[in-house]
C-alpha cells in the first residue's frame, strides 16, 4: 500500500514513500526520490514527521495531510487522529485527512507530539489500514531572552592582584533551542566596570585588568550583558550585576603620628602598673592591622604591651622606680605588624618609632613585698604552731620604717613580726586543700602606709583516711544458692589524694575466714566479688550474715579499714527470683533485743512506781478521813454514779435533814430480831458504835477493796453493812432495835423524791418481805 503526505515548510524531511507532496500556504513543491530506497516490505502507513513553527498567530493552522493509497478521492474513507493532544491541540479533517493546529504552540513548553492515525471504512466501521504513528515537532524561533539564574553575584578578590586574575564566572541561559540556528548562542560583554575588569565573550569569565588598592576603594559594581544570536543585530539581551569586593592584604605598616609622648609614674606604683598609652595607625584592617609594640632598650624599667581590642600600646612598669635614684626616663618605642607574609616584606622594611618621656613623681610609698604573691606547702595534720612559710616586705623610702605584719580574716594561721606564718589549728586536706590568705604589711612610723600580698597555702596530703565501701550494699543470697555463686561485687573509695592512682586490696578478716559461709576474690582492679563457700542456706535459722571485709590502700603508710557487709538470706523460686527476705527491721530487733527488753522493763518499773505512789496517797487520804477516837463523826449518805469517777460524782446528804422534814413517818412495831445476831453487833445498835470498832471495820473493808483485782482504780460505790446508833431520826435499819419491838415499814421514802430511791429500794416492803 502507498500513501501520500502533504507537508508544508519541508526542510530536511525524511521521505518514506515513493511520491511525497509537500505544500504550504503559498506554493506546492514536488519532491521525487528513488522508489527502491523507500519501498516498504508490506502495505501500510508510512512513519513521517511534521514541523510546525511555534508561536503561530493564526487560530487554525494547517500542518499537513494524511492520505492512504487506497483512498481514490471519492471520500469513501474516514480519518481519525489519536494520541498526544489529539482533539485538543490538533484536529484532522475526517474526509480529506488534513491536520490542523487549533492552538498556538510553544516549543519551550513541549517540543514534540506523538500521534496515531487510523483509516476507517464507514460502511463497515472497520479500519482498512493498521494504525500509523507520526511525530509533530515544534520548530524554534528566537522568542526567549538570556537570563542569569544565579544572581545576585558577589566576588571577593585580594587587593593589588595582578592583571588577568580570575574574579568570577557568570553564566546566562537561553530557553530557545540550541540546535536551531543561533537562537541560544550567547555572547557576554561588559557594560560597566572598565578599566579595572574585563570579561571573556564566550565563557563569561571576569578578570582583573589593572591593580586596585582597597584603601582607595573597597568595592566595585560591574554590569554584565548577555546577547543571543551571537551578538548579531536583532538578538535578545539580558543583564546582571556583580558586586566585587577587595580583600585586604598587609601592604601598609603601622605609623606613629606623635613624635613624643609625655607620661608620669609615681615611685610608689607597684610592678605591672599601667602608666599610659601610645597609639600607632595602620590603614589595613583585621588581622593585617594587628601590631606589637616594643622598647628598643630592654634594660629600661618599662615595657609596652598591646591591647588586642583597641591596638593601643600600654606602657607598664616592669621594674620599680625610685625618685631618689632617677626622676625621669627617656625611652624609644617602635611598632610593627604581627603578621607579615614574605611576599609583602617590601612594605615593612623599616619600623616606625617614637619617643616617650616618663617623669617619676616622689611619694611616700607603702611597704613592698619581695614577691607579688606567695605559695607555700604544708602537710596536713601538723601540730599547732607549725611553720608554713615566711613573707618579707620593706619600706622603699629613705627612712626605712620597720614593718609589722598581720593576717586578715584567717583563723587557721598567724604571723609574727618577722613575717613567719604559722598554723593555729590542725589542717585537714579533705576539708580544704587550699587556703587563700592576705598578709598585710604596715609601716610602724606611718600606719596609713599599708600593703597586702596574697598568700596561697596548699595542704599536702597525708594518708590519714582508710578506704571504705563506695556505697551501702544491700546483699542477698538465696536459700537454694549453689557453692561458688557470686552474690555481690564491691568497690571502695578513699578520701585521700594520691599521686598515683588509688589501688585497694580486699580480704576477709581471719575470724570470718574460719567461720564464714562466703569467700572473697580480689579482682585487682579496685573491685572484689563475694561468693558462697557452701550450698544451701536457711531463712529461719540464719536470716542474716555479717561479713567483715578488710580494705587496704596503697598509701604510705598503708591504712586498712574493716567494713561489714550485711547479707540477707532470701526465699527464691527455681529461677532465682527473690520472693521473701529477712529485712532490716528484723535485723535491728535482733541486734538490739537486749537493749529493747531493758528499756521495756525500766518503763514497766516506772509505771508501777507511779501506781504505788498514787495508791499510797489514796491510802493516806482515806486514813485522814477516819481520825483517831475522840474526833467528831457525821452521818452522811454517799451516792456514786456508775458511769464515772471523781469528786463531782459524789453527793452527800446530812441525815439530820431527814428529821427536819415535814413528812414524819409513823412509828410501827418492829419485829423481833432473830436470836442468832451476835451480842457485839446488837450492843453497837443500842449504845452506838465505838470509834475504834468503827475504824477497824472501815479499814477491813478498805483492805478488801484494795485487794480486789476487779475493783476499778477510781471512786466507786462501796456498801458497808454496819449501822450506828444515836441518830435523832431513829434507826433506818430493818433489824430489830431496843427502842421499839414493832415492825417498821420504809415505803414512805418513795415520797421523799429521787434522792431517797436507793434507801426505799434497800429498806422498802420488798426488802422486808425478803427478810
Amino acid at each position: 500500500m502507498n500513501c501520500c503526505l502533504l507537508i508544508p515548510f519541508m526542510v530536511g524531511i525524511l521521505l518514506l514513500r515513493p511520491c511525497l507532496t509537500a505544500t504550504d500556504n503559498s506554493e506546492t513543491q514536488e519532491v521525487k526520490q528513488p522508489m527502491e530506497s523507500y519501498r516498504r516490505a508490506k502495505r501500510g502507513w508510512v512513519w513521517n514527521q511534521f514541523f510546525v513553527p511555534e508561536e503561530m498567530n493564526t487560530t487554525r493552522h494547517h500542518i499537513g495531510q494524511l492520505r492512504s493509497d487506497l483512498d481514490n478521492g471519492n471520500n469513501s474513507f474516514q480519518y481519525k487522529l489519536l494520541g498526544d493532544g489529539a482533539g485538543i491541540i490538533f484536529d484532522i479533517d475526517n474526509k480529506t485527512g488534513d491536520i490542523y493546529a487549533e492552538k498556538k504552540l510553544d516549543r519551550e513548553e513541549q517540543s514534540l507530539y506523538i500521534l496515531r492515525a487510523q483509516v476507517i471504512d464507514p460502511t463497515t466501521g472497520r479500519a482498512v489500514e493498521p494504525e500509523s504513528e507520526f511525530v509533530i515537532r515544534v520548530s524554534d524561533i528566537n522568542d526567549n531572552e538570556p537570563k542569569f539564574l544565579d544572581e545576585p553575584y558577589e566576588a571577593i578578590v585580594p587587593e593589588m592582584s595582578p592583571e588577568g586574575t580570575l574574579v568570577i564566572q557568570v553564566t546566562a541561559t537561553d530557553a530557545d533551542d540550541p540546535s536551531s540556528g543561533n537562537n541560544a548562542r550567547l555572547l557576554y560583554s561588559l557594560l560597566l566596570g572598565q578599566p579595572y575588569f574585563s570579561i571573556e565573550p564566550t565563557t563569561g569569565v571576569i578578570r582583573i585588568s589593572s591593580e586596585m588598592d582597597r584603601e582607595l576603594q573597597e568595592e566595585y559594581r560591574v554590569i554584565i550583558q548577555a546577547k543571543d544570536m551571537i551578538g548579531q543585530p536583532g538578538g535578545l539581551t539580558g543583564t546582571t550585576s556583580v558586586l566585587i569586593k577587595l580583600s585586604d592584604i598587609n601592604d601598609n605598616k603601622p605609623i606613629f603620628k606623635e613624635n613624643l609622648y609625655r607620661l608620669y609614674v609615681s615611685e610608689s606604683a607597684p610592678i605591672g602598673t599601667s602608666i599610659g598609652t601610645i597609639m600607632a595607625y595602620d590603614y589595613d584592617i583585621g588581622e593585617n592591622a594587628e601590631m606589637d609594640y616594643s622598647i628598643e632598650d630592654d634594660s629600661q624599667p618599662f615595657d609596652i604591651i598591646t591591647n588586642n581590642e583597641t591596638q593601643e600600646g600600654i606602657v607598664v612598669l616592669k621594674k620599680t622606680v625610685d625618685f631618689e635614684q632617677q626622676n625621669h626616663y627617656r625611652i624609644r618605642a617602635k611598632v610593627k605588624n604581627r603578621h607579615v607574609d614574605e611576599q609583602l616584606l617590601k612594605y615593612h622594611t623599616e619600623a616606625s618609632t617614637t619617643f616617650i618621656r616618663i617623669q617619676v613623681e616622689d611619694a611616700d610609698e607603702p611597704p613592698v613585698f619581695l614577691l607579688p604573691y606567695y605559695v607555700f606547702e604544708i602537710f596536713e595534720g601538723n601540730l599547732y604552731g607549725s611553720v608554713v612559710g615566711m613573707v618579707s616586705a620593706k619600706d622603699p623610702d629613705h627612712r626605712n620604717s620597720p614593718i609589722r605584719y598581720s593576717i586578715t580574716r584567717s583563723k587557721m594561721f598567724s604571723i609574727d613580726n618577722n613575717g613567719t606564718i604559722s598554723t593555729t589549728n590542725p589542717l585537714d586536706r579533705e576539708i580544704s586543700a587550699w587556703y587563700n590568705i592576705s598578709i598585710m604589711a604596715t609601716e610602724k612610723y606611718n600606719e596609713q602606709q599599708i600593703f597586702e600580698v596574697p598568700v596561697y597555702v596548699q595542704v599536702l596530703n597525708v594518708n590519714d583516711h582508710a578506704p571504705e565501701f563506695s556505697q551501702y550494699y544491700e546483699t542477698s543470697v538465696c536459700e537454694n544458692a549453689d557453692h561458688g555463686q557470686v552474690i555481690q561485687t564491691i568497690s571502695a573509695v578513699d578520701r585521700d589524694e594520691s599521686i598515683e592512682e588509688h589501688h585497694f586490696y580486699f580480704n576477709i578478716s581471719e575470724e570470718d575466714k574460719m567461720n564464714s559461709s562466703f569467700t572473697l576474690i580480689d579482682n585487682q582492679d579496685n573491685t572484689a566479688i563475694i561468693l558462697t563457700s557452701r550450698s544451701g542456706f536457711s531463712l529461719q535459722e540464719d536470716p542474716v550474715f555479717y561479713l567483715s571485709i578488710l580494705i587496704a590502700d596503697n598509701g604510705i603508710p598503708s591504712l586498712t579499714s574493716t567494713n561489714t557487709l550485711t547479707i540477707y538470706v532470701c526465699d527464691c523460686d527455681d529461677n532465682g527470683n527473690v520472693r521473701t527476705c529477712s529485712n532490716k527491721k528484723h535485723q535491728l530487733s535482733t541486734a538490739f533485743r537486749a537493749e529493747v527488753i531493758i528499756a521495756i522493763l525500766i518503763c514497766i518499773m516506772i509505771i508501777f512506781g507511779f501506781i504505788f505512789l498514787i495508791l499510797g496517797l489514796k491510802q493516806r487520804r482515806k486514813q485522814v478521813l477516819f481520825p483517831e477516837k475522840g474526833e467528831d463523826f457525821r452521818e452522811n449518805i454517799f451516792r456514786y454514779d456508775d458511769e464515772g469517777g471523781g469528786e463531782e460524782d459524789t453527793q452527800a446528804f446530812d441525815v439530820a435533814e431527814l428529821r427536819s422534814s415535814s413528812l414524819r413517818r409513823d412509828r410501827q412495831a418492829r419485829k423481833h430480831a432473830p436470836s442468832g445476831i451476835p451480842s457485839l453487833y446488837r450492843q453497837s445498835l443500842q449504845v452506838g458504835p465505838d470509834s475504834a470498832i468503827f475504824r477497824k471495820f472501815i479499814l477491813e473493808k478498805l483492805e478488801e477493796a484494795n485487794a480486789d483485782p476487779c475493783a476499778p482504780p477510781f471512786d466507786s460505790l462501796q456498801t458497808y453493812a454496819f449501822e450506828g446508833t444515836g441518830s435523832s431520826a431513829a434507826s433506818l435499819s430493818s433489824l430489830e432495835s431496843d427502842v421499839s419491838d414493832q415492825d417498821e415499814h420504809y415505803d414512805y421514802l418513795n415520797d421523799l423524791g429521787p434522792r431517797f430511791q436507793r434507801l426505799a429500794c434497800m429498806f422498802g416492803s420488798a426488802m422486808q418481805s425478803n427478810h
Side-chain angles (χ1 to χ4, degrees):
M1 181 189 70
N2 298 323
C3 68
C4 293
L5 299 176
L6 302 179
I7 306 174
F9 302 103
M10 298 301 294
V11 180
I13 301 302
L14 179 62
L15 304 178
L16 299 180
R17 71 176 308 275
C19 179
L20 177 63
T21 302
T23 60
D24 57 13
N25 296 331
S26 60
E27 59 180 354
T28 302
Q29 297 178 349
E30 183 175 355
V31 182
K32 294 184 179 181
Q33 304 237 352
M35 182 177 298
E36 295 298 333
S37 301
Y38 305 102
R39 187 174 300 275
R40 300 182 59 181
K42 64 179 182 177
R43 298 170 60 88
W45 291 80
V46 179
W47 186 91
N48 291 282
Q49 295 187 78
F50 294 90
F51 287 84
V52 182
E54 65 173 335
E55 304 295 338
M56 295 295 294
N57 294 326
T58 59
T59 304
R60 185 177 176 85
H61 178 68
H62 183 263
I63 298 176
Q65 184 183 18
L66 295 176
R67 189 171 184 179
S68 175
D69 291 342
L70 301 178
D71 190 354
N72 53 13
N74 57 2
N75 298 328
S76 59
F77 293 145
Q78 290 184 352
Y79 295 90
K80 288 187 177 181
L81 193 64
L82 304 172
D84 192 7
I88 300 175
I89 301 176
F90 304 102
D91 193 13
I92 189 171
D93 190 330
N94 59 359
K95 294 182 179 181
T96 63
D98 291 319
I99 302 175
Y100 298 93
E102 300 293 337
K103 296 182 179 180
K104 185 185 294 185
L105 302 179
D106 190 352
R107 189 200 66 84
E108 285 69 43
E109 292 182 0
Q110 187 169 348
S111 61
L112 183 142
Y113 297 88
I114 301 175
L115 296 99
R116 304 185 310 278
Q118 281 184 342
V119 180
I120 300 175
D121 187 352
T123 59
T124 62
R126 296 182 179 180
V128 298
E129 294 285 347
E131 286 187 2
S132 179
E133 186 177 79
F134 62 96
V135 175
I136 297 178
R137 294 184 180 273
V138 182
S139 58
D140 183 58
I141 64 173
N142 190 18
D143 60 342
N144 290 280
E145 62 184 19
K147 294 183 179 180
F148 293 89
L149 301 180
D150 297 331
E151 60 181 359
Y153 292 94
E154 286 190 7
I156 300 176
V157 63
E159 64 173 331
M160 307 304 291
S161 296
E163 182 180 350
T165 301
L166 174 64
V167 179
I168 194 174
Q169 182 179 15
V170 296
T171 303
T173 59
D174 196 320
D176 292 325
D177 188 0
S179 63
S180 177
N182 298 323
N183 293 343
R185 297 182 64 183
L186 307 179
L187 284 182
Y188 300 93
S189 60
L190 197 64
L191 299 183
L192 180 64
Q194 298 90 351
Y196 302 107
F197 304 96
S198 63
I199 189 169
E200 296 179 359
T202 57
T203 62
V205 174
I206 302 175
R207 298 183 183 275
I208 292 176
S209 57
S210 64
E211 291 186 353
M212 294 167 286
D213 191 352
R214 187 201 62 83
E215 285 73 33
L216 298 178
Q217 185 174 346
E218 189 171 358
E219 60 184 27
Y220 296 83
R221 180 75 63 175
V222 177
I223 305 299
I224 307 298
Q225 175 184 272
K227 188 174 183 181
D228 59 12
M229 299 296 292
I230 322 178
Q232 296 177 1
L236 302 179
T237 62
T239 60
T240 188
S241 64
V242 181
L243 179 61
I244 301 176
K245 298 181 180 180
L246 299 181
S247 60
D248 185 63
I249 64 172
N250 197 356
D251 58 343
N252 294 278
K253 67 177 181 180
I255 298 175
F256 287 108
K257 292 189 175 181
E258 298 289 340
N259 294 327
L260 178 65
Y261 292 89
R262 296 182 181 273
L263 303 176
Y264 300 90
V265 62
S266 174
E267 65 171 344
S268 61
I271 295 175
T273 300
S274 175
I275 301 173
T277 60
I278 60 176
M279 184 69 182
Y281 297 88
D282 193 333
Y283 293 105
D284 295 322
I285 59 175
E287 185 181 82
N288 296 326
E290 295 180 0
M291 59 189 74
D292 290 322
Y293 299 87
S294 61
I295 295 177
E296 291 186 346
D297 188 3
D298 292 339
S299 63
Q300 296 289 346
F302 306 98
D303 197 4
I304 302 178
I305 60 177
T306 303
N307 186 334
N308 293 324
E309 295 182 358
T310 63
Q311 297 302 314
E312 292 179 322
I314 304 174
V315 183
V316 296
L317 190 62
K318 185 173 65 174
K319 300 177 182 178
T320 57
V321 294
D322 193 344
F323 176 83
E324 288 74 21
Q325 295 182 2
Q326 186 175 352
N327 57 12
H328 73 277
Y329 294 86
R330 181 181 176 87
I331 59 177
R332 184 174 183 177
K334 62 181 179 179
V335 63
K336 63 179 181 179
N337 281 129
R338 187 175 300 170
H339 308 286
V340 180
D341 295 335
E342 294 183 0
Q343 301 174 354
L344 302 175
L345 288 177
K346 59 183 179 180
Y347 300 107
H348 303 269
T349 54
E350 186 177 353
S352 177
T353 61
T354 188
F355 288 97
I356 304 174
R357 180 181 176 85
I358 301 176
Q359 183 69 38
V360 180
E361 298 177 341
D362 189 17
D364 185 9
E365 302 171 78
V368 177
F369 285 92
L370 300 182
L371 296 176
Y373 62 91
Y374 293 86
V375 179
F376 299 116
E377 296 178 348
I378 185 173
F379 283 97
E380 64 176 331
N382 283 338
L383 300 177
Y384 169 83
S386 299
V387 175
V388 177
M390 177 181 244
V391 299
S392 179
K394 64 178 182 179
D395 183 8
D397 297 323
H398 289 293
R399 59 183 177 181
N400 195 17
S401 173
I403 304 299
R404 291 187 291 103
Y405 300 96
S406 61
I407 296 180
T408 59
R409 300 182 301 276
S410 177
K411 298 180 180 180
M412 306 300 294
F413 305 95
S414 63
I415 189 170
D416 58 15
N417 292 331
N418 295 327
T420 302
I421 303 173
S422 304
T423 60
T424 58
N425 290 286
L427 304 180
D428 190 348
R429 189 203 65 83
E430 284 69 35
I431 297 177
S432 179
W434 283 89
Y435 289 91
N436 301 334
I437 61 177
S438 295
I439 304 298
M440 182 183 298
T442 307
E443 292 184 7
K444 183 178 180 180
Y445 300 145
N446 185 5
E447 295 185 354
Q448 301 299 324
Q449 295 297 334
I450 301 173
F451 191 76
E452 290 187 5
V453 66
V455 176
Y456 307 98
V457 180
Q458 182 182 11
V459 182
L460 302 179
N461 182 65
V462 174
N463 193 22
D464 57 347
H465 288 87
E468 56 188 10
F469 280 154
S470 60
Q471 65 184 59
Y472 176 75
Y473 293 101
E474 291 282 353
T475 306
S476 61
V477 62
C478 294
E479 288 184 302
N480 55 357
D482 296 331
H483 181 274
Q485 181 176 337
V486 178
I487 62 172
Q488 183 67 59
T489 300
I490 60 175
S491 60
V493 294
D494 194 335
R495 290 189 294 167
D496 289 320
E497 183 183 25
S498 177
I499 300 177
E500 301 177 354
E501 292 185 0
H502 283 293
H503 187 76
F504 304 110
Y505 306 92
F506 300 86
N507 204 348
I508 297 179
S509 64
E510 294 297 331
E511 181 180 355
D512 286 349
K513 283 184 179 180
M514 302 298 296
N515 303 323
S516 177
S517 299
F518 305 93
T519 59
L520 181 145
I521 297 179
D522 194 337
N523 296 327
Q524 300 300 321
D525 60 352
N526 291 342
T527 63
I529 58 175
I530 308 299
L531 304 89
T532 59
S533 59
R534 64 183 177 90
S535 60
F537 295 86
S538 175
L539 176 62
Q540 301 298 328
E541 297 179 0
D542 296 312
V544 182
F545 290 91
Y546 302 97
L547 187 64
S548 298
I549 298 177
L550 304 179
I551 306 177
D553 59 15
N554 60 336
I556 302 176
S558 177
L559 295 181
T560 304
S561 67
T562 301
N563 299 263
T564 301
L565 180 66
T566 304
I567 303 173
Y568 300 96
V569 178
C570 299
D571 179 21
C572 306
D573 56 17
D574 295 337
N575 296 326
N577 298 321
V578 176
R579 293 184 295 192
T580 305
C581 288
S582 56
N583 51 27
K584 282 187 176 180
K585 294 181 179 180
H586 179 73
Q587 174 190 358
L588 292 175
S589 63
T590 304
F592 300 99
R593 184 178 300 169
E595 289 80 355
V596 171
I597 293 175
I598 293 174
I600 293 174
L601 292 177
I602 293 175
C603 293
I604 293 174
M605 292 177 64
I606 294 173
I607 293 172
F608 276 106
F610 277 110
I611 292 175
F612 291 146
L613 179 61
I614 293 172
L615 293 177
L617 293 176
K618 291 179 66 176
Q619 181 73 17
R620 183 176 180 182
R621 186 176 64 179
K622 291 180 179 180
Q623 291 179 1
V624 173
L625 292 177
F626 304 101
E628 296 294 328
K629 185 178 180 180
E631 294 182 355
D632 186 21
F633 286 88
R634 300 182 62 189
E635 297 178 6
N636 295 313
I637 298 174
F638 291 85
R639 186 185 71 187
Y640 295 88
D641 293 335
D642 294 337
E643 66 275 7
E647 298 293 335
E648 296 180 357
D649 293 338
T650 304
Q651 296 181 5
F653 301 93
D654 194 342
V655 179
E657 293 295 329
L658 298 176
R659 297 195 299 268
S660 62
S661 177
S662 59
L663 296 176
R664 293 293 182 177
R665 55 188 176 87
D666 298 331
R667 282 189 175 274
Q668 297 179 4
R670 288 181 177 270
K671 294 181 179 181
H672 295 283
S675 59
I677 298 177
S679 59
L680 179 59
Y681 183 71
R682 183 177 300 274
Q683 183 181 359
S684 66
L685 293 177
Q686 294 176 359
V687 298
D690 182 66
S691 60
I693 297 174
F694 184 80
R695 183 171 181 272
K696 180 179 179 181
F697 176 79
I698 293 299
L699 291 178
E700 290 175 355
K701 292 298 181 180
L702 179 60
E703 185 177 358
E704 290 180 5
N706 291 336
D708 186 4
C710 298
F714 45 82
D715 295 342
S716 60
L717 175 64
Q718 298 291 338
T719 302
Y720 300 103
F722 191 94
E723 184 177 357
T725 58
S727 175
S728 59
S731 176
L732 300 178
S733 175
S734 61
L735 300 177
E736 189 177 65
S737 64
D738 58 349
V739 177
S740 175
D741 294 335
Q742 298 178 354
D743 294 335
E744 188 172 3
H745 299 279
Y746 299 98
D747 293 336
Y748 67 92
L749 294 177
N750 293 320
D751 300 332
L752 298 181
R755 294 175 182 259
F756 297 93
Q757 291 298 322
R758 175 78 61 176
L759 294 175
C761 180
M762 295 174 61
F763 303 104
S765 59
M767 181 65 69
Q768 293 177 6
S769 63
N770 291 334
H771 287 293

